[in-house]
Amino acid sequence: MLSEMIGILNDWLYTYILVILLIAAGVYFTVRSGFVQFRMFAESIRVVGEKPHEAGTVSSFQALMVSTASRVGTGNIIGISTAICCGGYGAVFWMWVIAIIGGASAFVESTLAQIYKRRNPKTGESYGGPSYYIEAALHSRVLAVIFAVTLILTYAGGFNMLAAYNLQSTFSGYSFYDPATTPWVIGAVLAAVVGYCVMGGGKRIIRFTSTLVPFMGGLYVLVAVVMVVLNWRMVPQVLGSIFAGAFDFQAIFGGFTGSAMMYGIKRGLFSNEAGVGSAPNAAASADVSHPVKQGLVQMLSVFIDTLLICSATAFMLLCSGVAPEASLQGAPYVQMALQAQFGAAGPIFITAAMVLFAFTTLIGNLYYVDNCLNYIVGKIPAKEFMVLFRIDAVVLIFIGAGMEINMVWNLADVLMGVMALINLPVIVILARPALAALRDYTRQRKEGKNPVFRAADVGLAGKTECWE
C-alpha cells in the first residue's frame, strides 16, 4: 500500500507540477540571463582553473569536484538504463533538454549561494546553501528549516537507499546471486564500510576512492566512446530513433506517466540535480573573487554530468545492438550491452565502476547532510547526536539494498521533487541579485578586469555577510 501511494504521488508530481515548473524556470532563467549557458560556456571553462582568492581555502575546482562527485554516480548508469527501457529512445532527448535549460537554473542557485554565504571567523571557511539564502533574503527561518529537513531525508534516505539498491543490482547477472539473500548481504557489507568511514575511520579508503573515481569516470567514458566507434554505423539510426521517440506526441499525451518526456525529465533531474538545491551547498564553500564565477562552474557541472557522462551511457547502450525492454531496466540492460561487445569482461567492468561510484556518492551525500544539520541547530551538532544520526543513515543504506525497484526509485523521485518544489520558486523570487551580479561580472570582464564583487555595486549593501 505504501509503495502504491508513493507511486501515485510520484506520477502526480512529474505529470503536472514539476514538468511545468522545471521547464518554465529553466526557460525564464535562460532568457533573463541572456542565454548564459551558451554565451558564457567558454568563460566557465576558464574560471574553473582559477586558484582560490586566498591561499589555503577551497578553490572553484575543488567545489566543482564535491558537487560532481555527488552528481556522478549510479544514476548516470542505472538511471539512464531505466529511462531508456521504460520511456524509450526519446527519453535521451528530454534528458538533454532538461540539462541545457537546467544549466541556467544551476547558475542562478549557485550564484545566490555565493552571494548569501557565511564565513567561519575562526577558520575563514565559507559555507551556505539554499537554507541560508532563504533565511537571509526571504527572512523565513521556517521555510529554510523545512528545506534543510527535506534535503536530509532526500540524501540520507531516498538517494542513499537508491544508490545501495543500484549497487547490489549490478551483481544480479552473476551465478552466485540469490534475489532472496544476496541484496541483504551486499547491503550489510556496504553499510558496514560506509559506517566505518563516516564514524571517523576509513580516511585512507576515502582518499583511495576519491583518487580512483575520476580515473574510473574517464575510463568509463572511454569505454563508451570505443563502443560507439566500433558500432559507428548504428549512430545515424540511434539519433533518428531518439528524435522520433522524443516527438511522438501521441504517445506522450496518451500516457504521460510512462512517456519518454517524463522519464527523460525524471532521470535527467535525478542525474544533474539542476534547480533541486543540492549543489549550492558545495558552491558556497568556494573562495572566489566574484559569486558569478562559482555559478558558471556549477553550470559546467550540469553539462559534465548529463551531456557528457549520461550521453556516454545512452549511446553505449543504444549502439550495442541490444534492444531495450522494460524487463531489462536497470543493471541487466547495461550488463547485457557490455557483454555483447566485450564478453565476460563487460559486466565485471560495470560492476567495478558501480562499486566506486556508489561508495563515493554515499559518502558525498552524507557530507551534504552535515551542512543542513549544522544549519538547523545553528552549530556543529553534539558528537552523541551525530553518532546516532549516522547509525540511522547506515541502517537506511542496508534497507535500501533489499527494497523493490519501483518503490526505491519512486521514493527518491518524490523526495527530490519536494526539494525542487521549494527551491525553484525561491530562486525565481530571488533571481534579481544573481542577475545583477551577472551584469556586474560581464561589465568588469569587458573592461579587462578580473571581476571583484562588492555588495554595494548591485544594491545589496548590508544584506550579505561576506561581500561588504
Side-chain angles (χ1 to χ4, degrees):
M1 184 180 295
L2 178 61
S3 178
E4 185 177 344
M5 289 173 60
I6 293 174
I8 292 171
L9 179 57
N10 178 51
D11 290 343
W12 182 72
L13 275 174
Y14 287 90
T15 302
Y16 303 105
I17 298 177
L18 273 178
V19 172
I20 296 170
L21 190 58
L22 282 166
I23 294 177
V27 171
Y28 173 75
F29 291 135
T30 297
V31 174
R32 287 291 308 278
S33 66
F35 295 83
V36 65
Q37 63 268 58
F38 304 103
R39 179 168 58 90
M40 301 190 74
F41 181 75
E43 178 71 1
S44 70
I45 296 175
R46 186 191 71 81
V47 299
V48 76
E50 285 192 359
K51 293 181 179 180
H53 193 50
E54 296 181 12
T57 53
V58 178
S59 67
S60 288
F61 180 76
Q62 288 171 321
L64 171 67
M65 288 299 100
V66 171
S67 59
T68 303
S70 179
R71 284 187 172 118
V72 177
T74 59
N76 297 83
I77 303 174
I78 305 301
I80 305 309
S81 167
T82 301
I84 293 172
C85 286
C86 296
Y89 286 60
V92 178
F93 174 84
W94 292 107
M95 180 182 69
W96 291 338
V97 169
I98 208 65
I100 291 171
I101 65 172
S105 302
F107 167 80
V108 171
E109 65 179 356
S110 293
T111 301
L112 286 171
Q114 270 286 324
I115 291 173
Y116 293 104
K117 70 182 180 180
R118 299 178 186 177
R119 183 168 283 124
N120 187 323
K122 295 181 180 179
T123 64
E125 296 177 346
S126 300
Y127 59 94
S131 292
Y132 293 91
Y133 59 64
I134 289 171
E135 181 177 357
L138 295 183
H139 310 292
S140 177
R141 167 76 177 170
V142 173
L143 182 60
V145 170
I146 291 173
F147 179 86
V149 170
T150 305
L151 185 145
I152 292 168
L153 293 174
T154 302
Y155 279 81
F159 282 10
N160 274 5
M161 293 170 79
L162 180 58
Y165 174 85
N166 284 339
L167 172 59
Q168 68 82 18
S169 70
T170 61
F171 290 88
S172 61
Y174 297 99
S175 59
F176 64 80
Y177 188 89
D178 180 355
T181 58
T182 307
W184 298 110
V185 173
I186 295 173
V189 173
L190 182 61
V193 175
V194 172
Y196 173 68
C197 291
V198 299
M199 292 297 181
K203 292 183 179 179
R204 186 172 298 176
I205 296 174
I206 295 172
R207 283 198 299 269
F208 174 75
T209 53
S210 297
T211 302
L212 197 57
V213 166
F215 170 77
M216 180 60 76
L219 184 60
Y220 177 77
V221 173
L222 179 62
V223 168
V225 170
V226 169
M227 282 191 66
V228 173
V229 170
L230 291 174
N231 299 281
W232 63 271
R233 290 182 179 85
M234 293 188 65
V235 172
Q237 177 186 338
V238 167
L239 285 171
S241 298
I242 287 173
F243 285 100
F247 295 102
D248 185 355
F249 291 110
Q250 183 176 355
I252 290 173
F253 293 110
F256 187 81
T257 57
S259 69
M261 179 183 281
M262 188 205 71
Y263 271 103
I265 290 172
K266 284 168 66 174
R267 297 285 72 82
L269 179 62
F270 176 81
S271 175
N272 63 55
E273 302 173 20
V276 171
S278 55
N281 292 277
S285 66
D287 183 32
V288 291
S289 64
H290 200 289
V292 166
K293 289 185 177 181
Q294 200 57 33
L296 292 173
V297 168
Q298 296 305 135
M299 178 185 78
L300 182 64
S301 180
V302 172
F303 295 152
I304 292 172
D305 176 90
T306 304
L307 299 185
L308 178 60
I309 298 179
C310 288
S311 295
T313 298
F315 278 91
M316 178 178 70
L317 296 176
L318 296 176
C319 289
S320 67
V322 179
E325 299 176 6
S327 60
L328 296 176
Q329 63 173 301
Y333 184 37
V334 182
Q335 291 175 321
M336 286 184 66
L338 267 76
Q339 188 167 17
Q341 192 69 59
F342 301 113
I348 294 174
F349 170 77
I350 208 66
T351 301
M354 283 291 293
V355 168
L356 289 167
F357 288 156
F359 178 74
T360 52
T361 296
L362 290 166
I363 298 295
N365 286 351
L366 291 178
Y367 280 119
Y368 267 166
V369 167
D370 284 355
N371 188 48
C372 284
L373 286 172
N374 294 346
Y375 171 79
I376 292 172
V377 300
K379 59 181 180 179
I380 297 176
K383 184 177 180 180
E384 294 79 10
F385 171 83
M386 290 306 298
V387 169
L388 290 174
F389 174 81
R390 284 168 177 160
I391 289 173
D392 291 338
V394 166
V395 169
L396 289 176
I397 291 171
F398 170 70
I399 294 172
M403 290 178 66
E404 186 265 334
I405 184 169
N406 289 327
M407 171 69 168
V408 72
W409 272 112
N410 287 340
L411 179 61
D413 283 337
V414 167
L415 290 170
M416 175 181 64
V418 174
M419 282 181 63
L421 285 177
I422 298 172
N423 188 62
L424 283 169
V426 165
I427 61 176
V428 168
I429 295 170
L430 300 181
R432 183 174 294 180
L435 297 173
L438 177 60
R439 290 191 295 270
D440 176 67
Y441 183 89
T442 304
R443 175 185 59 79
Q444 293 190 54
R445 284 293 293 158
K446 287 181 178 178
E447 294 172 355
K449 300 177 181 177
N450 179 25
V452 176
F453 184 73
R454 294 180 180 84
D457 293 343
V458 294
L460 291 175
K463 298 180 181 179
T464 65
E465 182 175 300
C466 295
W467 304 100
E468 300 302 327

